[in-house]
Amino acid sequence: MLKISSKHKKIVIKVGSAVLSNNSGGIKKKVMLNIAHDIAMLSKNKEVVLVSSGSIAMGKKILPKMHEMSLAESQAIAAIGQVDLMLAWKEVFKKFSLNVGQILLTPKEIETKKDRNNAIKTINQLHKFGAIPVINENDTTATDEIQFGDNDLLAAKIAKILGADLLILLSSIDGLYDNFSDARSRKIIREVNKINSPVKKLAAGSGNLGKGGMKSKIQAAEIMLKIGSEMVIANGNAKDPILTLKKTLSGTWFKKD
């Protein structure tokens, strides 16, 4: 069954920067409120971890338009935007009587046993406090996400170390299409059981769909399938973007046969 069900006890939800902010760095408050509402409902009987991009996108508003950023500028902008990002999440979750806890991680910290275990302990303690862990990559010291992705792989690695049953990637599109060249005729692929050459070819032809694009999402799916867990790509701008996944077939689901 391609839905969120009772078997999904631990869920990681990643929200892309294109979902949360507009081109000028403004925050899409209604979208964030919808996502916070769904997470609040889901967290009543499941452990939920939020991986949120958006720090660079939100920090860009201090720059002149069409400004090409250097790596150092991107890191500084991320430091500024991260404050706005967390304040925005704090504001919307407060409406549902939930606190949030910020966790900034680098890939090395996930790969190092001691630091990985400390991160897990912090996440578990936040759940005990009834708070939602909000994770982002520490762009002030780590550059991989700035250069290559949009937290898709970070979210998959977090899901792996936590032993999550499901990873939800909320994107600006509805899922994986059977082609990305013809918007009028293309159809959503509802289920993918293995990451093979045809699937990777589709991802490569997806074009510039957010910083991470479809390629990093397929790489995240590979990680999830290897640990026997599921992943779904869904549109974060939709009404009830997460709770819809409990009720009807939507998005593209990655699960083993």
Side-chain angles (χ1 to χ4, degrees):
M1 181 180 293
L2 303 179
K3 293 181 183 179
I4 298 177
S5 67
S6 58
K7 73 176 182 179
H8 299 119
K9 304 294 186 183
K10 191 173 293 186
I11 300 175
V12 175
I13 300 169
K14 178 261 177 177
V15 187
S17 54
V19 176
L20 299 178
S21 63
N22 55 38
N23 292 333
S24 61
I27 299 170
K28 297 180 182 177
K29 291 187 177 180
K30 186 176 180 180
V31 172
M32 293 189 80
L33 186 62
N34 286 340
I35 293 171
H37 166 267
D38 284 9
I39 290 176
M41 297 301 103
L42 209 61
S43 65
K44 290 181 178 181
N45 54 17
K46 301 179 188 297
E47 290 186 1
V48 181
V49 174
L50 174 60
V51 177
S52 177
S53 299
S55 60
I56 293 178
M58 292 182 186
K60 280 183 178 179
K61 60 181 173 291
I62 72 166
L63 291 174
K65 290 184 178 179
M66 304 301 292
H67 180 81
E68 187 69 29
M69 290 188 295
S70 67
L71 181 58
E73 285 177 321
S74 293
Q75 289 177 299
I77 288 300
I80 294 170
Q82 182 65 26
V83 177
D84 289 341
L85 178 63
M86 286 306 302
L87 285 175
W89 280 124
K90 181 178 180 179
E91 180 183 339
V92 293
F93 275 111
K94 187 177 181 180
K95 295 181 183 297
F96 306 103
S97 301
L98 284 172
N99 289 316
V100 296
Q102 173 182 265
I103 302 175
L104 297 177
L105 295 171
T106 66
K108 289 182 180 179
E109 288 170 332
I110 298 173
E111 293 165 5
T112 305
K113 184 176 179 180
K114 180 181 177 181
D115 292 334
R116 179 172 65 243
N117 288 340
N118 286 337
I120 293 171
K121 288 177 182 178
T122 300
I123 291 168
N124 290 339
Q125 189 61 58
L126 284 170
H127 281 141
K128 290 177 182 177
F129 285 152
I132 302 296
V134 182
I135 300 174
N136 196 1
E137 187 158 21
N138 190 353
D139 291 331
T140 59
T141 57
T143 60
D144 287 348
E145 188 268 350
I146 289 179
Q147 296 175 322
F148 303 115
D150 192 33
N151 276 341
D152 295 322
L153 294 178
L154 175 65
K157 290 175 181 179
I158 293 295
K160 181 179 179 180
I161 67 172
L162 292 176
D165 311 295
L166 175 64
L167 169 61
I168 301 172
L169 300 183
L170 293 182
S171 179
S172 56
I173 59 172
D174 295 327
L176 178 65
Y177 294 107
D178 58 1
N179 79 81
F180 284 87
S181 57
D182 190 347
R184 293 173 299 177
S185 66
R186 68 189 184 189
K187 296 179 180 178
I188 290 287
I189 299 173
R190 293 299 182 190
E191 183 173 359
V192 177
N193 302 122
K194 61 181 178 179
I195 308 302
N196 52 24
S197 295
V199 171
K200 290 180 179 180
K201 189 174 181 180
L202 283 175
S206 63
N208 186 24
L209 299 171
K211 189 189 296 182
M214 191 56 66
K215 184 177 179 181
S216 65
K217 290 172 176 55
I218 296 303
Q219 291 172 335
E222 275 190 294
I223 293 172
M224 296 306 292
L225 292 182
K226 283 181 180 178
I227 64 173
S229 297
E230 300 176 11
M231 190 188 94
V232 59
I233 302 171
N235 196 324
N237 293 298
K239 186 178 182 298
D240 302 326
I242 301 167
L243 293 185
T244 296
L245 297 171
K246 292 183 68 176
K247 303 170 185 176
T248 61
L249 176 61
S250 59
T252 298
W253 286 78
F254 297 80
K255 60 176 295 186
K256 287 187 175 181
D257 287 322

